[in-house]
Amino acid sequence: MAIVLGAMCPMFLSPANAQDALDGRLTEVERRIDLLSQKVDRLIELMKAQAEGSQPAAVPGIAHGGGQAPAAAMGNARLKSGMTLDVFTIPLSGNFPEEPPSESLGQLIDTDVPILNYGAFQRDATLVQYASSSDVPFVGLYWRGQIEVAEPGQHVFGLLTARAKGGKRESSSYGCYLSLAVDGEVVSRKFGRIRSGEKIAQQAAVDLNPGYYSVAIWKVCHSETRHWQMDFSEVRSTMLMRGPKDATLLPVPKSRVGHL
């Protein structure tokens, strides 16, 4: 009997020993669960990395219009200096035009931009002689090119047209019509009479994403006194722009506007 009881003694542990044994088993189970969890996490990471590697890179889009490629898609394309300028004359019998006629006298590259005046036109002797006729009171200029937008958000574009103070006829006025189109859409139109020392200001806000956008300016000025020829050197416009982070409108940098 004693021998049997002695053999059975290991099966009957004290409460303290039993708790220690249970704690040991729980610790081992926890360790195995932790190792399994680590393996699962690693497997998830590998699956995510494989999925991301198979996705195409995102290319930013264009909020306004959509006809121009974004800057990311242009690669190493760089704008060439100046904008294309077409010159138009409108005869005395014509109406004051709100957009360019179908045919121009000629085309050249105006490197004065963002200054939009009659300088390039006046330097072309062939074109100037057509405007010296008494039956041509209107001379219209149409600039076209590309403008680079570097950051997303609201961009404000403006035109400031000024007439130099002084001149031959300070008391007389010129009539000027100007329109500004961005990405193929006219965003601002304005007609005004401008005397010596006066200005015509206009602006428009457009939401854009980074990229290259078409820009066009139509400007036509004439003397409101029919019997005298307008002095083209007196009227000068400047193209302005304010980005989302800019404090005020400033002339568009030459490096940001041109032609492709």
Side-chain angles (χ1 to χ4, degrees), residues 119-253:
F121 155 69
Q122 289 181 292
R123 290 192 293 269
D124 190 305
T126 303
L127 295 178
V128 168
Q129 68 180 354
Y130 282 96
S132 62
S133 174
S134 60
D135 64 348
V136 181
F138 301 153
V139 173
L141 304 179
Y142 188 47
W143 289 268
R144 288 173 295 165
Q146 302 284 324
I147 191 165
E148 181 184 4
V149 171
E151 55 188 354
Q154 187 179 81
H155 289 71
V156 179
F157 295 92
L159 292 174
L160 184 63
T161 302
R163 181 177 170 186
K165 191 171 180 60
K168 299 177 181 178
R169 299 179 181 273
E170 286 192 72
S171 60
S172 299
S173 63
Y174 296 148
C176 286
Y177 173 84
L178 299 106
S179 69
L180 170 65
V182 177
D183 198 23
E185 180 180 341
V186 175
V187 297
S188 176
R189 299 179 187 268
K190 191 161 189 177
F191 172 81
R193 291 177 173 83
I194 184 169
R195 291 183 172 84
S196 175
E198 295 180 341
K199 298 178 181 179
I200 300 173
Q202 60 192 104
Q203 65 182 52
V206 184
D207 286 325
L208 299 172
N209 284 331
Y212 290 93
Y213 294 84
S214 64
V215 61
I217 299 96
W218 168 236
K219 172 181 178 178
V220 54
C221 295
H222 69 97
S223 164
E224 294 199 329
T225 304
R226 299 289 187 182
H227 65 273
W228 62 277
Q229 195 71 23
M230 99 172 250
D231 184 351
F232 295 108
S233 63
E234 287 190 3
V235 182
R236 163 174 156 161
S237 301
T238 305
M239 181 165 55
L240 311 171
M241 183 173 75
R242 177 171 64 83
K245 298 179 181 178
D246 297 331
T248 185
L249 280 166
L250 294 172
V252 179

Side-chain angles (χ1 to χ4, degrees), residues 3-85:
I3 296 174
V4 174
L5 290 174
M8 294 176 63
C9 280
M11 299 176 62
F12 296 93
L13 301 175
S14 67
N17 291 337
Q19 184 64 46
D20 290 342
L22 180 61
D23 290 344
R25 290 181 181 179
L26 290 174
T27 300
E28 177 64 18
V29 171
E30 291 174 351
R31 185 183 70 81
R32 292 185 180 183
I33 291 175
D34 185 57
L35 289 174
L36 182 60
S37 177
Q38 292 180 18
K39 291 181 180 180
V40 172
D41 290 343
R42 178 57 180 161
L43 180 60
I44 292 174
E45 290 178 2
L46 290 174
M47 293 174 65
K48 286 183 177 180
Q50 185 177 7
E52 291 174 357
S54 63
Q55 295 296 324
V59 178
I62 294 179
H64 184 269
Q68 301 296 323
M74 296 296 292
N76 296 322
R78 291 292 181 269
L79 293 176
K80 298 176 183 178
S81 177
M83 295 176 68
T84 301
L85 174 62

